[in-house]
Amino acid sequence: MTEYLSDVDREYCLLICLSIRNTITALEVVPIGTLDAALVTPREVFKSAILSNSASIILAHAHPSGDTTPSKEDVELTERVKNAGEILGIELLDHIIVAGGKQFGLRKNGLM
């Protein structure tokens, strides 16, 4: 993910859709935002996941500022996507923030 997101100048949100065996079924940018925001909704996220028959997903997005600290909006989005996924039967495995060549996983850091 760092390879895809490290040199972007706006907020990109990358969706990785996975099969039951954790092979990638789809890889999509949902959406490209501005310098400090990207409007991502569970509807956009799960459209690709459903169409690619995915069992789980990983979200990753860039912070062009170089700071991997999640914003309040990042944590809220993670919770909305996680809850929607539970209803649909598609697990959100992690939400990863990439900035300055570093990564911050919300699951690993107890934020999901």
Side-chain angles (χ1 to χ4, degrees):
M1 288 171 271
T2 304
E3 181 180 326
Y4 288 105
L5 298 172
S6 63
D7 293 327
V8 297
D9 62 350
R10 289 174 267 173
E11 284 215 7
Y12 278 64
C13 185
L14 184 66
L15 172 67
I16 302 161
C17 299
L18 302 166
S19 71
I20 195 77
R21 294 188 175 159
N22 289 330
T23 58
I24 296 175
T25 59
L27 182 64
E28 185 174 330
V29 174
V30 289
I32 298 170
T34 62
L35 183 62
D36 63 352
L39 181 60
V40 180
T41 65
R43 173 205 238 156
E44 293 167 326
V45 169
F46 286 105
K47 178 181 177 183
S48 293
I50 290 167
L51 291 173
S52 64
N53 254 353
S54 301
S56 58
I57 60 170
I58 298 171
L59 282 177
H61 81 274
H63 277 184
S65 67
D67 182 6
T68 59
T69 305
S71 67
K72 178 182 138 201
E73 293 80 11
D74 293 337
V75 175
E76 289 172 356
L77 170 65
T78 302
E79 191 62 28
R80 282 195 320 271
V81 170
K82 180 181 172 195
N83 291 340
E86 288 172 358
I87 292 168
L88 294 169
I90 301 172
E91 183 181 6
L92 174 62
L93 298 177
D94 206 348
H95 182 178
I96 299 167
I97 298 170
V98 177
K102 295 180 267 180
Q103 296 181 5
F104 180 96
L106 275 76
R107 180 173 299 276
K108 180 180 178 182
N109 288 282
L111 296 174
M112 61 175 289

